[in-house]
Structure formats: structure tokens, C-alpha cells
Amino acid sequence: MKPLPRDRDAAIRLPATDASIETAGARVDAILSALGVSRERALRIELALEELLVNIVSYAYPADGPGDFEILIAPSADAITLTVTDWGRPFNPLEADPPRTGDGIDDREPGGLGIHLVRELARSVRYERAGDANRIAFTFPSGGTSG
């Protein structure tokens, strides 16, 4: 497959449901493949994305309220940035205390590992609240691409 141009952004908008996490992952995987991203790099990006989407589906919206998320994939010559937007409750995951990873599983508080994992996998992570939207962007170097 011929790689996509690095100056083209791709956007995906889906309802914030468990089923949409898998759908989003498959669509992002296809886009990353078309961009020529290596399988190893794509798996890291997709893992980080899944962690963020699980948080949105689980916590962003009231249990009885509908909501969406949007993923913008912005490739450049030296990086790939994914920006995930939701219109749920304001929440900056970067302000959360880091998890106590040295504690045994029975001794630590639940939660916090997802954003910790995203921070470990990505080159940079940033958050903004823009109007009624939460936006978290994470960037990976484009090294490790094929072709």
C-alpha cells in the first residue's frame, strides 16, 4: 500500500461507547498503516489511545447521557500527533497524582495507570480545556516508520 501524504490529517468521530473503542482502534490502525508507520510504533500509539478512550467512555459523560469523542491524527515529517477530544465533564488527567507503582497491587489506590502509561509511551502529552471540550494531544516520533 502506498503511504499517505504526511501533510494530510485524518479525523474520526464516534459515540463514546465500549464498542466504539474497538472501532476507533481499527480505523486508527488502518490510517497508521497507510502512513507507513511500523507495526511496533502503531501498537504503542494504539495502546495509548485505548487508555484515553476507556477513560472517556467510563467517566466523561453521565451514565444516562450521550456523548462523542473525536480523534484527529496529524502526521508530519518527524512526528505523529493524535488529539482526542470529548465534550464531557472537565478533566485534566495530567493534573492527577502519579500512581504509586512501587506498591503491591493490594496496597495501591485504583486508577491513574492509564495516563501514566500514555506519558511513558508518548514523546509529549498536553491537555487543554477549550470551551466545552477536553482535548488531550499526544505525540510520537515518526522514527520507526517503514518505507
Side-chain angles (χ1 to χ4, degrees), residues 33-54:
S33 177
L35 286 168
V37 175
S38 72
R39 190 74 200 127
E40 179 183 346
R41 176 87 56 202
L43 288 173
R44 293 170 66 92
I45 293 169
E46 292 165 26
L47 178 58
L49 175 64
E50 182 177 343
E51 290 297 332
L52 294 173
L53 295 181
V54 166

Side-chain angles (χ1 to χ4, degrees), residues 113-132:
L113 287 176
I115 194 63
H116 174 73
L117 181 62
V118 172
R119 285 176 156 167
E120 292 296 312
L121 291 171
R123 177 169 66 187
S124 67
V125 182
R126 56 190 188 282
Y127 169 86
E128 72 172 336
R129 181 75 180 174
D132 63 348

